[in-house]
Amino acid sequence: MSLTDEEVDRLGDIVELQPTKNKELQDRWGLDSGSEVHQYLEGHLKDYYFRDDDSLIRSTAEAVELTGVEPGVEPPTEGQGTDEPPSSIRVSLLESRVFETVAGPDDRSESVVSVLNDLRETYDIDPEAGDVRRALQSLKRKGVVEVIYRTVPTFRLCVDRESVDVETTDDE
């Protein structure tokens, strides 16, 4: 199956963002709904992606090879279990900053607003709370942040910062 330039670009987005959701691809591709994303995936890229046990979208090995894009989460190495955290992740600049700012694995988990305030203080930036929430959820899907449910959902790393190589993508 021969892919158009647009299809290869969009497949590259899947490789880069994996594991991802329809909403994240919808935003990236400028589509109106998650159903449009699903229709596009099934109509154009069905041989190059799959949904994992959590229904998150992941690329096939062939897609990684075809696009030449570094995966958002490195596949497990030989002998590494699939439940183990990744040794390397590719994230946006905001996600990288959130990773560096959010509470560590031995610290008390913190709310989105607390992470937002830490970002403001540490980096002198003022992202929207929704963007911080999405960054935290993306890091959760990548297996490096966990959610602790208290009065509100709170977050903290579930890995040592030093054990994960973080590569920042060009996207902000």
Side-chain angles (χ1 to χ4, degrees):
M1 175 170 146
S2 180
L3 298 177
T4 67
D5 289 344
E6 178 186 63
E7 290 167 335
V8 172
D9 287 346
R10 287 186 172 184
L11 186 57
D13 290 338
I14 294 169
V15 172
E16 179 185 322
L17 296 172
Q18 72 177 314
T20 190
K21 301 186 315 186
N22 283 8
K23 176 67 174 146
E24 202 168 11
L25 293 174
Q26 175 187 334
D27 293 345
R28 174 71 68 100
W29 297 344
L31 299 178
D32 292 328
S33 69
S35 342
E36 278 188 68
V37 171
H38 178 74
Q39 289 172 350
Y40 188 89
L41 291 172
E42 284 299 301
H44 297 267
L45 302 175
K46 68 181 173 184
D47 294 334
Y48 301 100
Y49 87 97
F50 64 97
R51 292 193 182 261
D52 66 16
D53 293 341
D54 295 321
S55 294
L56 297 173
I57 300 165
R58 294 182 181 265
S59 68
T60 63
E62 185 180 1
V64 174
E65 188 175 311
L66 181 68
T67 62
V69 173
E70 290 294 320
V73 172
E74 288 297 325
T77 57
E78 191 171 327
Q80 180 184 20
T82 55
D83 291 339
E84 294 180 36
S87 59
S88 177
I89 57 174
R90 286 177 43 92
V91 295
S92 69
L93 179 59
L94 179 60
E95 289 168 345
S96 172
R97 288 175 171 175
V98 167
F99 181 82
E100 291 301 323
T101 305
V102 70
D106 297 327
D107 299 326
R108 181 173 168 82
S109 59
E110 56 187 326
S111 68
V112 171
V113 172
S114 176
V115 174
L116 173 61
N117 288 332
D118 290 347
L119 287 167
R120 287 174 176 157
E121 184 177 313
T122 304
Y123 294 103
D124 194 31
I125 59 174
D126 191 23
E128 297 290 323
D131 293 336
V132 174
R133 181 176 296 106
R134 280 187 288 283
L136 286 161
Q137 290 296 339
S138 176
L139 292 169
K140 177 182 175 270
R141 288 192 304 275
K142 289 179 180 4
V144 296
V145 165
E146 65 182 338
V147 178
I148 310 295
Y149 292 96
R150 297 199 314 245
T151 305
V152 296
T154 60
F155 301 84
R156 71 176 176 203
L157 293 177
C158 57
V159 298
D160 289 324
R161 262 181 253 285
E162 298 76 33
S163 70
V164 178
D165 291 325
V166 177
E167 183 180 334
T168 304
T169 63
D170 294 338
D171 297 339
E172 217 170 305

